Amino acid sequence: MQMLKCDPQTYKDLELGKLQDILREYCVGPSALKIVERLKPVQNNEELMKFLNQTNELVEIRREGESFPRLEFEELQNEIRMLPVQNASLPQESFARIRMASVMVNSLLFFFNKREEDFPQLYELLSDVEFTKEIIEKIDTIFDKHGKVKDDASSDLLSIRQQMSSVKRHIHSTFDRSMRKYLKKGYLADTKEGYFDDRRVLAVLSSYKREVNGQVVGNSKSGNVTFVEPGETVPLNNELEQLKDDERKEIFIILQQLTYEMLAFLPLIKDYQQVLTKLDFINAKCRLALLLDANLPAINENKAFDLIDCFHPLLKMNNDNLGKKTIPQRISMNENSRMLVISGPNAGGKSITLKTVGLLQLMLQCGLLVPLHPNSRMCFFDALLTDIGDNQSIVDELSTYSYRLKRMRHFLNVANENALLLLDEFGTGSDPDLGGALAEVFFETLYDKGSYGVITTHYSNIKLKADKLPEAINGCMLFDTETLNPLFKFSMGQPGSSFTFEVAQINGIPKKLINRAKSKLDNKKVEMDQLLHELQKEKSYLSRLTKEHILAQETADKHRKYYETTKEKYDRKLASLQNKAEETSKFVSLGNKLQSYIDNYKVGVKKKNVNEPLMQDIKKYIAKEKAKTEEVKKEIRLKKQANKKKGKPKKMVNEYQQDKIKVGSKVKLIATKQTGDVEEIKGDEVTVLLGFARMKVKLEQLIWVSN
């Protein structure tokens, strides 16, 4: 698969460098920084998908809040270079770096253990490394937790350090004795002592320096104090220096041996470097994706894309910093709408919409996730070329128009069905009529080559050409016809007016001058612009009307659900009260009978003679109530057994016959009783044509009328 062809001008026009600046801040090591510096579209599609999925998996881990190991490591390039050198000895800090890398990789292996199905691409990234504590254990045998060589790293080192401790104690006791002696004689300054080359020295008043036995090592700035090393400690300090030298030599031998042992792990250490460097870059891309709220869209094999709720990342970040809202766009292109012509007023967002398509495509093919809705779809192109802005070349003595013609010649040479071209202010820079005619020819030629293109223009002939060609489509940036302000919202399907005179009016140009300008134009041109104006005004009105209908329907649904919920609650409460009333009535009846029995009961009289009919009634009542209770229990038990056999209850038949609703069906809105035709069905969302207005509603909100 060919690499995406881009030239330096395309990277500059789309401002890829600004995203690279953010990625640099997120990198830990220099190797990842070098990858960012060389960030370009990925060589082939299979590798590109792997990179995209790696980043997407890490983003998923971060968004789910899992305790992913923190990437803390230092690169091992110097260690990899030094280890094979014969008799080499790595410095102490090198072993700390190797240990840190081993701990880091072990923690990653532990995290991804038994998660191969959840994160296959990141799991595969770690396939060349293995979990081992051997490296860590060998290093920990030599170094303590502070990174210093342990006393017992070797028997010789232990002996040397024991001797050093003994000599240090002797030095301190001897020095303290000398200091007390000279302090008693009044030879010492207020500070009493100081340090010189890590040796304790006496702070002697300069007038008494000849009275003190020892070696002068320096003076204070004022010259009033002379620093003297006592004669008794000089040989002891010299002996300590010899022991320190022995210590250094022994540590070198120990580290040399440890270096030799690490040589056996060189292939694994190389894998550590490779894995951590790759993960460093993936993590930088992940952090950028989280910053931009970016996602991985579905990837089409055919040339088509649907960018849902997409943003220009740099515009979004800038607006967020300013506290401004960024309006999301939806931009779709496919084989039947591969040449998109965007028109509309100046400063209305045409160029930023074009740049959004270009930068998102470039990001995707560089292996970066893109800021759009995850349900979006994108594809891969073989060439991405731009002509954006004023690129006048002083060096080559080219005017803007000459530069753009030179650029167009290049486009005509490389354009094919796998190329995406982005042309801003297409055809401008020359006489409007002549430039428009040449621009139309260029447009037709690019169209005939099967290219995909996003073009912004004010030329009416280009808009008309896009309307006539079957695989081209118009789009426009919407304009509020009441406030005369741009809405910065893109709309597919129709060309837009440039609103030249309206923009002039809101910028303070007198209406008299605007009318004079209109009088100098061809009436047909004015009428066409006015027609586009009216079309956009009508579309804005219908869009607002649709929103109002949807809002009204949602409100009606909300109240209906509230009514149904409330009614159901009160019905349950009423049924409960009725049951309690019946139960209370039964208890009252039974109580009355028992009270009658008690009133007629006579002490000392045999039971068979005591109100025998009443007693029989009570016994019959109790037996009857017991039988009812047993019957209820039996019924509940049978229902439970039946439910277990049946499983889940079957769904009730739709009383509104919604299962018959298809494209072309005539339906009625439950809430508003309006009747319309089904234009499109996506899942449970239905687009209904109600006269001139389109409305998107849920399937459950419709009644089938007929096909």
Side-chain angles (χ1 to χ4, degrees):
M1 182 63 65
Q2 280 191 338
M3 178 179 177
L4 177 67
K5 295 176 183 175
C6 292
D7 55 19
Q9 187 60 46
T10 298
Y11 297 132
K12 182 180 177 182
D13 287 344
L14 297 178
E15 301 179 280
L16 180 65
K18 292 184 178 179
L19 293 179
Q20 287 175 282
D21 291 339
I22 300 171
L23 285 170
R24 287 187 193 96
E25 295 177 10
Y26 292 149
C27 292
V28 175
S31 294
L33 279 172
K34 288 180 182 177
I35 299 174
V36 172
E37 293 292 340
R38 301 191 300 266
L39 185 66
K40 293 290 183 291
V42 180
Q43 183 71 29
N44 63 71
N45 291 355
E46 186 178 347
E47 191 175 31
L48 174 56
M49 284 306 306
K50 181 176 75 173
F51 293 159
L52 288 168
N53 283 318
Q54 285 174 345
T55 308
N56 193 50
E57 286 176 7
L58 189 54
V59 167
E60 183 181 337
I61 291 169
R62 300 289 195 195
R63 282 177 176 161
E64 288 180 357
E66 296 201 47
S67 55
F68 188 76
R70 185 170 178 174
L71 286 179
E72 292 181 336
F73 69 96
E74 293 181 37
E75 294 198 21
L76 305 173
Q77 292 175 337
N78 291 333
E79 289 70 28
I80 291 169
R81 188 173 59 253
M82 287 288 293
L83 276 172
V85 177
Q86 192 171 4
N87 298 323
S89 176
L90 294 177
Q92 295 187 27
E93 56 270 20
S94 288
F95 294 104
R97 282 194 283 268
I98 292 172
R99 185 188 188 282
M100 188 187 302
S102 187
V103 170
M104 182 79 253
V105 171
N106 282 349
S107 62
L108 289 168
L109 288 167
F110 182 79
F111 179 86
F112 287 108
N113 184 35
K114 298 181 181 178
R115 295 190 178 192
E116 181 178 2
E117 293 182 0
D118 296 331
F119 310 110
Q121 295 298 333
L122 292 176
Y123 187 89
E124 184 185 351
L125 183 67
L126 296 163
S127 60
D128 292 333
V129 292
E130 60 183 18
F131 186 92
T132 177
K133 288 189 176 181
E134 197 172 351
I135 291 175
I136 299 168
E137 289 169 352
K138 284 183 178 294
I139 293 173
D140 286 350
T141 302
I142 303 302
F143 295 95
D144 62 18
K145 63 181 180 180
H146 302 295
K148 294 183 179 180
V149 177
K150 293 179 178 179
D151 293 347
D152 59 354
S154 74
S155 56
D156 288 343
L157 182 63
L158 180 60
S159 175
I160 291 168
R161 287 186 172 173
Q162 286 173 344
Q163 293 177 59
M164 288 172 64
S165 296
S166 177
V167 171
K168 285 178 182 178
R169 287 195 299 271
H170 196 184
I171 289 171
H172 289 311
S173 63
T174 303
F175 183 86
D176 290 342
R177 190 165 54 249
S178 295
M179 186 171 64
R180 286 195 299 272
K181 181 177 72 173
Y182 292 117
L183 183 62
K184 190 174 181 181
K185 291 183 178 182
Y187 294 168
L188 302 184
D190 293 339
T191 54
K192 299 178 188 177
E193 66 173 302
Y195 279 88
F196 186 82
D197 287 343
D198 290 333
R199 295 187 180 191
R200 291 176 75 185
V201 292
L202 296 170
V204 180
L205 295 170
S206 295
S207 56
Y208 296 111
K209 64 183 178 180
R210 289 184 178 81
E211 305 298 326
V212 176
N213 176 32
Q215 182 177 331
V216 175
V217 296
N219 297 287
S220 64
K221 289 182 180 180
S222 64
N224 295 330
V225 178
T226 300
F227 296 104
V228 179
E229 183 180 4
E232 298 88 345
T233 62
V234 170
L236 293 172
N237 277 322
N238 290 338
E239 184 181 353
L240 183 61
E241 287 299 327
Q242 288 293 330
L243 288 169
K244 285 181 178 179
D245 189 54
D246 292 341
E247 180 190 37
R248 283 190 290 270
K249 289 177 181 177
E250 182 59 24
I251 287 175
F252 179 83
I253 293 170
I254 293 168
L255 297 186
Q256 191 177 45
Q257 176 61 30
L258 186 58
T259 301
Y260 178 74
E261 292 176 9
M262 287 295 110
L263 181 59
F265 299 100
L266 180 58
L268 183 57
I269 292 171
K270 286 181 178 178
D271 290 337
Y272 284 171
Q273 168 68 16
Q274 190 174 20
V275 165
L276 292 174
T277 296
K278 287 181 180 178
L279 198 57
D280 186 9
F281 179 55
I282 294 169
N283 186 59
K285 294 192 292 182
C286 169
R287 293 181 65 183
L288 177 66
L290 293 173
L291 175 71
L292 301 176
D293 193 22
N295 294 288
L296 176 61
I299 303 299
N300 294 324
E301 291 187 8
N302 61 321
K303 292 291 180 288
F305 59 79
D306 183 15
L307 311 180
I308 304 171
D309 291 343
C310 63
F311 293 99
H312 190 287
L314 302 177
L315 176 67
K316 178 74 161 54
M317 285 190 293
N318 184 64
N319 284 349
D320 287 347
N321 291 334
L322 297 174
K324 292 171 59 178
K325 182 182 177 182
T326 307
I327 298 172
Q329 307 288 8
R330 180 164 187 172
I331 308 163
S332 302
M333 294 178 70
N334 54 45
E335 295 89 340
N336 299 318
S337 56
R338 57 183 173 82
M339 296 290 281
L340 172 61
V341 176
I342 304 176
S343 50
N346 285 323
K350 296 191 303 296
S351 295
I352 200 68
T353 302
L354 176 141
K355 287 182 177 181
T356 299
V357 174
L359 183 54
L360 266 55
Q361 188 66 44
L362 184 57
M363 288 175 67
L364 182 77
Q365 298 203 224
C366 286
L368 303 175
L369 304 189
V370 285
L372 40 61
H373 194 280
N375 290 344
S376 301
R377 295 179 293 110
M378 293 184 73
C379 60
F380 299 144
F381 288 95
D382 293 345
L384 175 63
L385 295 168
T386 62
D387 182 12
I388 299 173
D390 185 355
N391 288 292
Q392 186 175 16
S393 174
I394 298 173
V395 175
D396 296 329
E397 297 181 350
L398 293 175
S399 67
T400 299
Y401 191 61
S402 297
Y403 168 84
R404 303 194 82 162
L405 289 175
K406 188 177 179 181
R407 191 84 174 140
M408 180 55 67
R409 184 182 66 188
H410 176 54
F411 287 179
L412 294 172
N413 289 333
V414 301
N416 58 36
E417 65 277 3
N418 292 317
L420 176 61
L421 310 177
L422 306 170
L423 309 173
D424 192 30
E425 299 294 345
F426 187 53
T428 57
S430 182
D431 178 272
D433 292 330
L434 302 180
L438 190 58
E440 186 175 342
V441 172
F442 289 153
F443 182 81
E444 291 171 339
T445 306
L446 293 173
Y447 179 89
D448 292 340
K449 285 178 173 285
S451 296
Y452 283 66
V454 181
I455 296 166
T456 68
T457 187
H458 289 287
Y459 285 143
S460 298
N461 61 323
I462 302 297
K463 302 177 194 177
L464 290 170
K465 182 62 65 176
D467 187 58
K468 290 178 181 177
L469 294 173
E471 294 176 11
I473 190 169
N474 277 296
C476 66
M477 304 308 298
L478 299 180
F479 196 80
D480 192 324
T481 54
E482 295 179 3
T483 64
L484 300 181
N485 287 323
L487 297 175
F488 304 105
K489 190 169 182 62
F490 175 71
S491 175
M492 290 277 286
Q494 69 177 49
S497 167
S498 296
F499 291 95
T500 304
F501 298 122
E502 289 80 3
V503 172
Q505 184 177 336
I506 64 174
N507 282 281
I509 303 301
K511 198 166 185 179
K512 184 191 296 183
L513 296 180
I514 293 172
N515 290 333
R516 280 178 58 189
K518 286 182 179 180
S519 68
K520 295 180 181 293
L521 290 175
D522 184 350
N523 287 337
K524 290 183 179 179
K525 196 162 188 177
V526 175
E527 288 172 5
M528 180 182 175
D529 195 67
Q530 185 63 31
L531 178 61
L532 290 174
H533 186 162
E534 293 299 326
L535 281 172
Q536 188 161 325
K537 187 174 182 180
E538 184 178 342
K539 188 172 183 179
S540 298
Y541 170 73
L542 289 173
S543 176
R544 187 167 65 251
L545 191 63
T546 301
K547 285 181 181 178
E548 289 173 358
H549 274 296
I550 292 171
L551 183 61
Q553 191 165 338
E554 288 176 350
T555 304
D557 287 343
K558 182 179 177 182
H559 287 294
R560 178 176 58 81
K561 288 177 182 177
Y562 175 76
Y563 165 75
E564 290 173 353
T565 305
T566 306
K567 183 178 181 299
E568 185 180 350
K569 183 174 72 174
Y570 281 113
D571 286 345
R572 286 198 305 268
K573 193 170 182 179
L574 180 61
S576 175
L577 289 172
Q578 286 174 342
N579 290 335
K580 286 181 180 179
E582 290 175 4
E583 188 177 347
T584 302
S585 178
K586 288 178 183 178
F587 285 138
V588 169
S589 176
L590 179 60
N592 289 336
K593 288 183 179 182
L594 287 173
Q595 185 64 47
S596 175
Y597 172 76
I598 292 167
D599 291 342
N600 290 284
Y601 182 79
K602 295 179 180 180
V603 180
V605 180
K606 291 181 181 180
K607 290 182 181 179
K608 63 179 182 177
N609 297 324
V610 177
N611 208 344
E612 190 64 32
L614 178 60
M615 193 64 188
Q616 289 299 323
D617 286 347
I618 292 171
K619 286 180 180 180
K620 285 180 182 179
Y621 177 79
I622 292 172
K624 187 178 179 182
E625 289 301 315
K626 280 184 178 181
K628 284 184 181 179
T629 303
E630 289 300 321
E631 188 67 30
V632 170
K633 286 181 179 179
K634 184 179 178 181
E635 187 178 343
I636 291 171
R637 188 164 58 251
L638 290 173
K639 281 184 179 179
K640 285 183 178 179
Q641 290 173 355
N643 285 337
K644 284 182 180 179
K645 290 179 181 178
K646 290 180 183 177
K648 293 183 179 179
K650 293 183 180 179
K651 192 173 181 181
M652 293 179 66
V653 177
N654 189 340
E655 62 177 309
Y656 296 132
Q657 296 183 304
Q658 289 158 342
D659 54 326
K660 292 185 179 181
I661 295 176
K662 298 172 183 171
V663 174
S665 295
K666 187 168 290 294
V667 293
K668 182 184 289 186
L669 273 69
I670 295 172
T672 62
K673 308 300 182 185
Q674 291 174 283
T675 303
D677 298 312
V678 175
E679 191 174 63
E680 185 181 22
I681 300 176
K682 286 187 178 179
D684 64 343
E685 189 173 77
V686 182
T687 302
V688 180
L689 186 62
L690 304 167
F692 292 104
R694 285 181 179 83
M695 182 179 295
K696 289 186 178 180
V697 297
K698 297 293 183 184
L699 186 61
E700 64 187 21
Q701 298 169 340
L702 298 173
I703 301 173
W704 177 81
V705 178
S706 66
N707 284 331

